[in-house]
Amino acid sequence: MLPVGSRALLVELGGGEETAAFHAEVQRRRAAGLLPGVGEVVPAARTVLLDGVADPSALAQEIPRWEYAHPDDTAAGEVVVPVRYDGPDLPEVADLWGVSVQEAARIHASAAYRVAFCGFAPGFGYLTGLPDACAVPRRATPRTAVPAGAVALAGGYTGIYPRPSPGGWQLIGTTGAPLWDPSRQPAALLSPGTRVRFVPEEP
């Protein structure tokens, strides 16, 4: 646990599953009124930032005594995302997996996903759920422009580009789901802990 300024604490964890479990416990305790003063909670791949902490050193001593289990996969709800598996990198991903293009699409759509954390751009969620064997490298040369709605893979994560931007992830499909809408409350379709299910559509 590392102090960040005078009123924040950065908790480093062992991996994605432990981070997800710790983040869920923080949210549970905050909702129950057991973490007074804790404002923003920001999960990442292996850390959780707790901001607005009145006494970071006291909380740092308390956290190791917490007991918590795997997060409740039903607590944050589920988002269904229709996807057309028509991405330009899908054949390359299928080759890396040693399967046909159709089977690669089936494998991706059959996994149960969870938003581990958000970042890169407003509305961009890093989704876990693919088997470890399906991890793929980023592209050697990033694209200067990736369209909004592109469904993509990098490492063990799946992501959906909420707006046009440069990017180096492997593009396997597209969706029309609005990932970020400032007129909506909340503006982001995906938030940490949310379950995500991809439903294939005809290209």
Side-chain angles (χ1 to χ4, degrees):
M1 277 158 283
L2 304 171
V4 180
S6 61
R7 293 183 58 83
L9 188 68
L10 184 69
V11 183
E12 294 184 339
L13 298 126
E17 289 188 12
E18 185 180 348
T19 302
F22 178 77
H23 175 250
E25 180 64 13
V26 168
Q27 298 291 69
R28 186 192 71 77
R29 287 175 180 256
R30 188 167 67 161
L34 301 176
L35 290 176
V38 173
E40 195 169 8
V41 178
V42 184
R46 295 183 59 178
T47 62
V48 177
L49 176 70
L50 308 176
D51 194 16
V53 180
D55 189 343
S57 60
L59 184 59
Q61 294 177 15
E62 176 188 337
I63 286 174
R65 297 194 294 270
W66 287 6
E67 293 185 5
Y68 52 91
H70 290 289
D72 179 3
D73 281 342
T74 65
E78 181 183 68
V79 171
V80 176
V81 177
V83 58
R84 297 180 302 280
Y85 285 97
D86 56 2
D89 300 325
L90 184 59
E92 181 178 341
V93 169
D95 285 344
L96 289 169
W97 291 354
V99 298
S100 68
V101 168
Q102 292 77 14
E103 179 64 7
R106 188 201 66 77
I107 290 171
H108 185 264
S110 65
Y113 296 90
R114 194 171 191 278
V115 182
F117 56 97
C118 296
F120 169 64
F124 189 96
Y126 290 76
L127 280 58
T128 57
L130 273 176
D132 292 342
C134 292
V136 298
R138 294 171 181 259
R139 292 178 54 82
T141 303
R143 290 180 169 90
T144 56
V146 174
V151 178
L153 306 179
Y157 295 110
T158 292
I160 308 169
Y161 284 77
R163 63 185 183 190
S165 66
W169 289 35
Q170 306 280 0
L171 308 184
I172 64 168
T174 53
T175 181
L179 276 295
W180 178 260
D181 181 356
S183 67
R184 182 177 58 196
Q185 189 58 244
L189 180 65
L190 306 178
S191 60
T194 302
R195 293 175 297 132
V196 177
R197 181 163 53 92
F198 290 101
V199 177
E201 289 187 329
E202 290 298 322

